Amino acid sequence: MSVVTVERKILQKNDEIAAELRQLFKKNNLKTFNLLSSPGSGKTTLLERTIDHLKERIRIGVVEGDVQTDNDAQRIAAHDIPVVQIITNGGCHLDAPLVRDAITRLDLTAIDILFIENVGNLVCPASYDLGEDKKVVIVSTTEGDDKPLKYPKMFRVANACILNKMDLLPYVDFDPVSFRKNAQKINPELIFIDLSAKTGDGIGAWFEYVMS
Ligand code: MG
Ligand code: ZN
């Protein structure tokens, strides 16, 4: 069997399980977000901010994906919400079977919004449907503004794009206009939210997106 065929079979199986997950999430009235980015773009910090701001209004749960260590899961757990960790042991993406196993450790009836923090990687996580409602790609101003050109698939499948670390914009060579233009060329439907998870500037638009 050729490599291409094997990969297609894996993705096909993944999509079947993702469809099951989508039904399960729907049955439990759960809204789900798959958070995708390179390492170090600020996913966990954004999640911490989001939990602190919204947890009195809505019940949040988190699936935390990491290659090694449960450092991020511990940071999330400190905010007193249910969190389950997936350690991929070198695996560079989450897939639907991993998420299906992980959520058996969550009471889905006690959660309204589930955030899935994917492994930091802009390549293969784009190919794996996790049954989520929205894929959100997070890019920070400390990265290159040509990210959409380098990783077009991620920007094609994303519903929303967060540009994080806007507080650092004066100090870096990042052109937000050209970034948006590059991303829009690939995905004209993409919603953009500029913010700083650190200072909180612009983060209200993200909360609105999550709650809408
Ligand atoms: Mg993280
Ligand atoms: Zn991978």
Side-chain angles (χ1 to χ4, degrees), residues 24-38:
L24 182 69
F25 294 150
K26 198 173 167 198
K27 202 178 81 191
N28 287 282
N29 276 321
L30 204 59
K31 207 195 287 182
T32 49
F33 296 89
N34 183 1
L35 306 182
L36 304 137
S37 79
S38 310

Side-chain angles (χ1 to χ4, degrees), residues 6-181:
V6 172
E7 199 191 340
R8 193 177 302 139
K9 282 208 156 168
I10 289 170
L11 285 175
Q12 209 168 31
K13 185 72 195 159
N14 185 81
D15 286 351
E16 283 168 26
I17 295 169
E20 280 173 35
L21 284 174
R22 192 162 276 118
Q23 276 193 329
L24 182 69
F25 294 150
K26 198 173 167 198
K27 202 178 81 191
N28 287 282
N29 276 321
L30 204 59
K31 207 195 287 182
T32 49
F33 296 89
N34 183 1
L35 306 182
L36 304 137
S37 79
S38 310
S41 67
K43 288 193 296 300
T44 310
T45 304
L46 179 67
L47 254 182
E48 290 185 278
R49 280 264 178 185
T50 307
I51 292 161
D52 283 344
H53 190 83
L54 296 180
K55 77 173 179 187
E56 305 301 329
R57 282 199 277 162
I58 197 142
R59 300 171 303 169
I60 296 174
V62 172
V63 172
E64 186 66 42
D66 278 293
V67 177
Q68 288 295 342
T69 85
D70 63 352
N71 292 355
D72 287 357
Q74 285 187 28
R75 277 171 64 187
I76 299 296
H79 297 260
D80 282 326
I81 57 136
V83 51
V84 291
Q85 170 85 59
I86 300 172
I87 291 178
T88 62
N89 276 317
C92 47
H93 58 269
L94 295 183
D95 61 20
L98 282 172
V99 172
R100 184 176 59 181
D101 290 348
I103 60 172
T104 59
R105 290 179 276 149
L106 283 175
D107 177 4
L108 295 186
T109 63
I111 298 172
D112 304 306
I113 293 184
L114 180 69
F115 292 105
I116 303 169
E117 183 178 339
N118 216 307
V119 176
N121 172 4
L122 284 177
V123 189
C124 44
S127 299
Y128 289 84
D129 184 4
L130 304 180
E132 75 282 318
D133 293 307
K134 307 275 189 209
K135 285 184 166 72
V136 180
V137 60
I138 300 153
V139 175
S140 64
T141 58
T142 53
E143 302 169 47
D145 49 35
D146 59 350
K147 279 272 155 91
L149 301 177
K150 286 184 173 165
Y151 306 99
K153 177 150 197 194
M154 182 57 82
F155 289 84
R156 197 172 304 127
V157 299
N159 302 100
C161 175
I162 290 180
L163 185 53
N164 190 23
K165 306 192 188 178
M166 285 300 282
D167 53 311
L168 298 181
L169 199 57
Y171 314 106
V172 293
D173 262 337
F174 188 99
D175 178 356
V177 176
S178 117
F179 171 75
R180 259 176 246 125
K181 214 181 277 173

